[in-house]
Amino acid sequence: KAGVTQTPRYLIKTRGQQVTLSCSPISGHRSVSWYQQTPGQGLQFLFEYFSETQRNKGNFPGRFSGRQFSNSRSEMNVSTLELGDSALYLCASRKGSRRENTEAFFGQGTRLTVV
Amino acid sequence: GDSVTQMEGPVTLSEEAFLTINCTYTATGYPSLFWYVQYPGEGLQLLLKATKADDKGSNKGFEATYRKETTSFHLEKGSVQVSDSAVYFCALRGREDDKIIFGKGTRLHILP
């Protein structure tokens, strides 16, 4: 069974540009969450999607957005990149609804460097 | 809001030493508790979990017990190996929310 796949693994962008990251969850999983990992702030929740609907959102500016497709694949977009957006972005997938106490599986992440 | 506090690292031990990484949490209700491990250049792997008070999660020789009275979930291993060198994250997930709250992480170095 394939795990959570994130593409690309590494990305270098210039300040002011925008970027789109992709996450393919484990087959059959409908919940996808995104996290930002930085040395200073640690792991912070960005947002969560379930059945194409954003169900929860963390405390990030509107430059960070996401969406989920009917096949559960998710994309995360960051516009007007800032140096501080340099981070490892992790995607996690879970099988079902909140009432199903299932564990989250993480991908290997996309390392974004903003120069 | 909910939060997780874990001991600062790095922690350096010799092979076969006993390991404890302390973790305490603040949460409303009855969260699920987790330990994740991150190896260099990798994502997070779930190490163990506990979903209710007094549950003990265990995996690969690691153990942690959900202590509601002390709001703790300390990670222990009786005899560490060099291959255990990694960053360990304590985390919780509330009942009403899929958001996972992580501690800052503890870097563990095991010397041969």
Side-chain angles (χ1 to χ4, degrees), chain A residues 1-113:
Chain A
K1 190 174 183 182
V4 179
T5 303
Q6 292 188 244
T7 56
R9 287 291 309 276
Y10 302 92
L11 208 46
I12 300 176
K13 289 288 188 179
T14 305
R15 272 182 301 175
Q17 287 187 312
Q18 74 165 15
V19 67
T20 299
L21 312 182
S22 179
C23 172
S24 293
I26 293 170
S27 178
H29 285 198
R30 294 192 293 163
S31 167
V32 174
S33 299
W34 288 88
Y35 293 81
Q36 182 195 63
Q37 185 178 22
T38 59
Q41 299 299 316
L43 281 151
Q44 293 187 290
F45 172 77
L46 280 154
F47 27 65
E48 185 232 344
Y49 288 86
F50 180 80
S51 293
E52 301 178 66
T53 301
Q54 187 180 87
R55 197 158 64 171
N56 202 353
K57 192 176 190 308
N59 295 323
F60 279 81
R63 301 185 296 107
F64 292 81
S65 62
R67 59 178 175 168
Q68 187 179 33
F69 302 95
S70 58
N71 62 357
S72 294
R73 190 177 71 85
S74 177
E75 288 182 347
M76 191 193 102
N77 185 77
V78 188
S79 62
T80 320
L81 284 166
E82 300 176 1
L83 294 179
D85 298 332
S86 295
L88 180 67
Y89 290 88
L90 292 165
C91 165
S93 81
R94 286 184 66 219
K95 189 172 184 180
S97 67
R98 286 175 181 159
R99 294 189 179 184
E100 298 176 63
N101 195 9
T102 55
E103 64 190 73
F105 294 86
F106 283 80
Q108 291 188 300
T110 294
R111 172 76 62 186
L112 171 65
T113 302

Side-chain angles (χ1 to χ4, degrees), chain B residues 81-101:
Chain B
Q81 306 300 313
V82 173
S83 57
D84 293 328
S85 297
V87 181
Y88 292 80
F89 293 90
C90 184
L92 69 82
R93 187 178 71 222
R95 296 291 176 192
E96 302 300 321
D97 199 317
D98 276 345
K99 175 172 63 177
I100 300 175
I101 307 294

